[in-house]
Amino acid sequence: TGEGGMADEAMEDGMDTSEHEANGGLGAEESMLERAKYIPLRLEHEERRILRLLEGALNVSEYTDKVDVLSYRSKSGRVVAQVKDLCAILCGLTVAQNFKKGKELIEQRDFQELQAFFQGTFEIGRRYKVMNPDKMRDTYGKLMYMLMDSVEPEIQELLGFKCARPLCTVFSFLEEHGADRLLRDPNISTAIAEITTDGKSRHQVQKDIKLKERTRDALAKKYSNANCSSEDLLRCMYSLGDNNSYLRFNRDPVDKMLAYMDAFFRVDDVEEGYSLAICAGRGGARLTHNHARQFTYAKQTLMLWREVASDMFKLWYCADADMLSDRNRYRLQNTGQGMQRVQSAGSVGRAMSAIIGRCQRRLGSWVGSSVVHLGDHNVPNALMFIDKYTQVPRILNPIVLVLDELPKIASKDRAILEYVNTVYGSVEDCQKCILTDFFRHAFDGSGADNFIDAGSCIDGRLTSAWNWCSKIEKKEYYSVF
């Protein structure tokens, strides 16, 4: 993520009704405070160096291969041996990179005395992953599973130290250093706003950039104190801006799909050839909906995904707490997709219930099931839940890109325009063809062989979208992509 950040329309133009509800009815000041409680603090230079050490150690570790196996031997012994091996690798890599500091670590020889170093190292990896979901794809799960084991009381007793500590967030950092008044300043939105070029002249863009920089520097100077320097405050504001950048990438595709839906379809009016009606058994559908019901079903699903994207950092924070709770044990189980750690996720479940409740109140009705699978063979644990919903922008972004760029490319290339007009009738008809198929069969209950694994439940909606993506190369409009 870039050092700048974006402020969505709720920040720049005043919070609209939907954003107000999405923040639990909080005002702008309270909303910023609430958001900051779940936004991880951006890594500084020294922390990034430690992150490279952690990734190197995790890359060579075989933790899950050695621990997550069915065996009559003591699991506690295997876990302790693997955790100590990982810590030893970290110490060795530290020696290679910084001999003086590494020598101090090695000479102490007592893992308990190194508790702060290991806790800080593992926390840096967790914090970095939340801010950068596309990174650490091979190593993050290994890290979390190792920490899941390490919080068990008997493992802690054998290790002699705790591996996990709470994530460092913008709010916790500012509160600890006596500078949390920054979050209540009315100018904070300007200081973290992203400067977009949409419909703006170069002069206006430059003017906005300078205003943002002046506001940011003024706030850093105003709220700095003996415990919190201007550089620390700037890092906090950059972190808030990173969150806004994340929202733009992950939430904007959903907003654009909702805009296309409202532009090309009506709930009470069916255009010939573009009905969204589906029937079980036809085209792979497992649900039966008329046009109006399918329109509502698809729209409410997109609105739900939007709310999940808005609260993703909170959900990730809750998932981290659920997985690393010493009172929340897991069981190793064959879920049909190999051996998985099945663990309840109470905090994530409550957060999702609140999100669904907001959507239901806003829509006034609900089509389909509102069941959320957590801690079962479909979604074994909170890590799997988070991984599922980080796929939403990867599903929607290519579709939005095609729909946005098709008119531009057709206007510049006569051959493409002629092809589109010959096959589809017009550029708009081509767009509607793609959208009609998506709104039909990305939300048709497909993707599994029963209504428990797919269907109309909250997770089944995403399963259907995955299934649609897997078949896109067989679609008649695939050449447009």
Side-chain angles (χ1 to χ4, degrees):
T1 50
E3 287 196 353
M6 70 158 284
D8 49 41
E9 294 178 0
M11 291 177 142
E12 295 178 346
D13 303 320
M15 189 175 298
D16 61 20
T17 303
S18 62
E19 281 302 307
H20 185 69
E21 292 179 5
N23 289 304
L26 302 175
E29 180 180 306
E30 293 83 358
S31 171
M32 184 63 69
L33 280 168
E34 184 67 16
R35 285 178 58 195
K37 291 178 181 178
Y38 307 107
I39 297 175
L41 189 65
R42 174 187 279 203
L43 302 188
E44 57 186 3
H45 177 72
E46 178 63 19
E47 289 176 330
R48 292 182 185 277
R49 187 186 65 78
I50 294 174
L51 174 68
R52 289 196 294 272
L53 294 180
L54 176 62
E55 288 189 278
L58 290 171
N59 278 326
V60 299
S61 171
E62 297 179 340
Y63 184 85
T64 49
D65 295 335
K66 300 286 182 66
V67 173
D68 286 351
V69 293
L70 296 177
S71 172
Y72 292 105
R73 294 179 58 193
S74 168
K75 180 179 178 180
S76 298
R78 298 200 309 273
V79 169
V80 171
Q82 291 301 311
V83 172
K84 287 192 172 182
D85 279 350
L86 181 63
C87 293
I89 293 170
L90 277 172
C91 290
L93 290 174
T94 304
V95 171
Q97 192 169 66
N98 188 324
F99 181 78
K100 184 178 179 181
K101 185 174 181 179
K103 182 181 177 182
E104 293 174 359
L105 291 175
I106 297 297
E107 287 177 347
Q108 289 183 38
R109 293 184 177 275
D110 187 351
F111 280 109
Q112 190 170 4
E113 294 181 9
L114 297 174
Q115 175 173 287
F117 172 74
F118 291 127
Q119 283 185 352
T121 300
F122 298 142
E123 188 272 339
I124 286 170
R126 290 152 53 207
R127 181 159 30 114
Y128 177 76
K129 176 63 176 181
V130 176
M131 298 292 284
N132 302 272
D134 290 331
K135 304 295 185 181
M136 296 181 68
R137 294 181 68 87
D138 297 328
T139 54
Y140 178 72
K142 200 183 300 183
L143 170 64
M144 291 304 296
Y145 282 179
M146 185 271 288
L147 294 177
M148 281 174 69
D149 289 328
S150 73
V151 298
E152 295 183 7
E154 58 269 27
I155 302 296
Q156 283 190 28
E157 186 177 349
L158 290 171
L159 281 174
F161 71 99
K162 291 181 65 174
C163 291
R165 73 180 190 193
L167 287 173
C168 180
T169 65
V170 172
F171 179 80
S172 64
F173 180 86
L174 290 175
E175 187 179 43
E176 180 183 350
H177 292 81
D180 54 306
R181 290 185 302 127
L182 170 69
L183 300 171
R184 298 181 176 88
D185 194 290
N187 294 317
I188 186 67
S189 297
T190 304
I192 65 173
E194 180 176 271
I195 309 304
T196 59
T197 59
D198 300 339
K200 295 180 181 179
S201 64
R202 182 184 293 271
H203 172 73
Q204 183 61 46
V205 170
Q206 292 298 323
K207 182 179 178 182
D208 291 344
I209 291 173
K210 290 180 180 179
L211 174 61
K212 174 183 174 178
E213 291 174 346
R214 286 198 304 270
T215 305
R216 193 171 57 203
D217 292 340
L219 290 177
K221 183 178 180 181
K222 179 179 179 180
Y223 293 104
S224 61
N225 55 46
N227 298 320
C228 193
S229 66
S230 297
E231 288 75 16
D232 290 332
L233 293 174
L234 286 173
R235 184 155 69 108
C236 290
M237 284 186 275
Y238 288 145
S239 301
L240 294 171
D242 290 343
N243 174 241
N244 286 329
S245 298
Y246 173 90
L247 289 177
R248 182 173 188 186
F249 177 79
N250 290 271
R251 193 173 65 184
D252 279 16
V254 188
D255 287 333
K256 289 181 179 180
M257 290 300 289
L258 284 167
Y260 276 117
M261 188 175 214
D262 290 333
F264 291 141
F265 302 93
R266 295 288 182 271
V267 66
D268 55 356
D269 183 25
V270 182
E271 184 179 351
E272 185 177 354
Y274 300 108
S275 170
L276 301 183
I278 57 175
C279 182
R282 295 182 181 177
R286 300 185 67 250
L287 301 174
T288 299
H289 290 162
N290 60 25
H291 172 84
R293 190 170 179 83
Q294 180 67 6
F295 177 94
T296 304
Y297 178 71
K299 187 169 185 177
Q300 73 181 18
T301 303
L302 288 171
M303 291 180 69
L304 174 67
W305 289 353
R306 185 188 189 279
E307 295 301 313
V308 170
S310 297
D311 278 5
M312 181 55 77
F313 277 26
K314 180 178 180 179
L315 289 169
W316 212 309
Y317 188 91
C318 292
D320 191 87
D322 282 332
M323 295 183 71
L324 303 185
S325 170
D326 57 1
R327 297 185 299 272
N328 191 16
R329 297 295 185 95
Y330 70 87
R331 64 185 185 277
L332 201 61
Q333 177 181 325
N334 190 337
T335 63
Q337 300 178 5
M339 301 300 293
Q340 301 287 344
R341 297 188 177 199
V342 179
Q343 180 191 48
S344 63
S347 298
V348 174
R350 288 187 291 273
M352 277 299 293
S353 295
I355 290 173
I356 295 169
R358 288 203 304 265
C359 291
Q360 290 174 333
R361 287 192 298 272
R362 190 175 307 160
L363 293 166
S365 62
W366 192 258
V367 177
S369 170
S370 58
V371 172
V372 180
H373 288 285
L374 274 171
D376 58 16
H377 72 279
N378 291 294
V379 186
N381 52 56
L383 176 61
M384 299 298 180
F385 174 87
I386 292 294
D387 186 63
K388 285 189 71 170
Y389 282 94
T390 55
Q391 309 304 318
V392 170
R394 297 189 180 104
I395 292 172
L396 296 184
N397 262 318
I399 306 170
V400 169
L401 181 63
V402 170
L403 295 172
D404 285 347
E405 295 299 320
L406 183 59
K408 301 175 186 177
I409 295 174
S411 66
K412 297 177 182 178
D413 192 317
R414 181 172 294 182
I416 292 178
L417 179 61
E418 184 177 346
Y419 166 77
V420 170
N421 288 340
T422 301
V423 177
Y424 301 99
S426 68
V427 171
E428 182 176 309
D429 287 337
C430 180
Q431 291 174 310
K432 286 196 286 189
C433 177
I434 296 171
L435 287 167
T436 299
D437 187 70
F438 178 76
F439 291 139
R440 280 179 184 166
H441 296 294
F443 306 96
D444 63 0
S446 61
D449 57 2
N450 60 69
F451 281 103
I452 297 176
D453 295 342
S456 64
C457 65
I458 300 303
D459 304 284
R461 300 164 193 245
L462 191 50
T463 302
S464 300
W466 278 349
N467 188 56
W468 178 87
C469 290
S470 69
K471 298 178 179 178
I472 192 170
E473 72 275 4
K474 299 176 182 178
K475 305 291 184 180
E476 62 179 12
Y477 50 78
Y478 181 62
S479 58
V480 178
F481 280 75

